[in-house]
Amino acid sequence: MLKKICLGAALSWTGIILYLCLIKASNLPSVDIVYLDKFVHAFFHFVFSLLWFLVLRFYYKNQSSTKLLGIVFFISLSFGITIELFQAFFTVSRNGDVIDVLSNTTGALLAILVLTFLNKNNFLNKIPK
């Protein structure tokens, strides 16, 4: 049951990111906080990486956490780059941004650090596989 919940959450979060990153920028609320956009990108990929790690952990029980973390980082990085390319080439109101990719990467790396800490302190072993 938890396996399906994690998969549903990861797929939903992925869809939310896609939607929010590809809709017209004018449809999003405007907030005048410096670099808020970059923090949002980092947050998106932080949660994205956490959720997809849990999903992979359920589906690939015999793989080491280190390998799964590497896979999750690669998926997050690829997903972030793909969204920026879509913004650059397939939308008229959005622009691809290299700094957004760096923000995405930062969020994914923070998630990897948190997951590594949790794994080393055996917190992840308390979550059933």
Side-chain angles (χ1 to χ4, degrees):
M1 181 69 167
L2 190 55
K3 182 178 183 179
K4 289 181 181 181
I5 292 171
C6 285
L7 179 59
L11 289 170
S12 296
W13 190 253
T14 302
I16 289 168
I17 293 172
L18 272 172
Y19 175 75
L20 291 174
C21 289
L22 295 178
I23 63 171
K24 279 185 174 181
S26 61
N27 291 349
L28 295 170
S30 177
V31 180
D32 288 333
I33 298 175
V34 180
Y35 301 117
L36 177 65
D37 172 56
K38 306 314 172 205
F39 288 108
V40 169
H41 277 269
F43 175 74
F44 280 170
H45 282 265
F46 179 83
V47 175
F48 178 92
S49 299
L50 291 176
L51 291 172
W52 280 108
F53 174 79
L54 291 174
V55 169
L56 290 179
R57 194 167 168 266
F58 278 118
Y59 284 91
Y60 300 99
K61 295 176 184 175
N62 296 326
Q63 292 297 325
S64 72
S65 290
T66 305
K67 185 172 184 176
L68 295 178
L69 289 170
I71 292 168
V72 163
F73 179 75
F74 177 75
I75 291 170
S76 180
L77 181 64
S78 300
F79 182 59
I81 291 170
T82 301
I83 287 175
E84 294 305 317
L85 290 172
F86 277 21
Q87 286 180 341
F89 297 111
F90 300 114
T91 66
V92 292
S93 67
R94 304 296 289 260
N95 296 313
D97 185 1
V98 174
I99 305 301
D100 285 349
V101 173
L102 293 175
S103 298
N104 299 342
T105 304
T106 300
L109 286 174
L110 286 172
I112 301 286
L113 288 173
V114 167
L115 288 165
T116 300
F117 172 80
L118 293 174
N119 190 44
K120 286 188 179 195
N121 291 294
N122 292 318
F123 290 112
L124 292 179
N125 291 335
K126 295 177 183 176
I127 301 171
K129 287 186 179 182

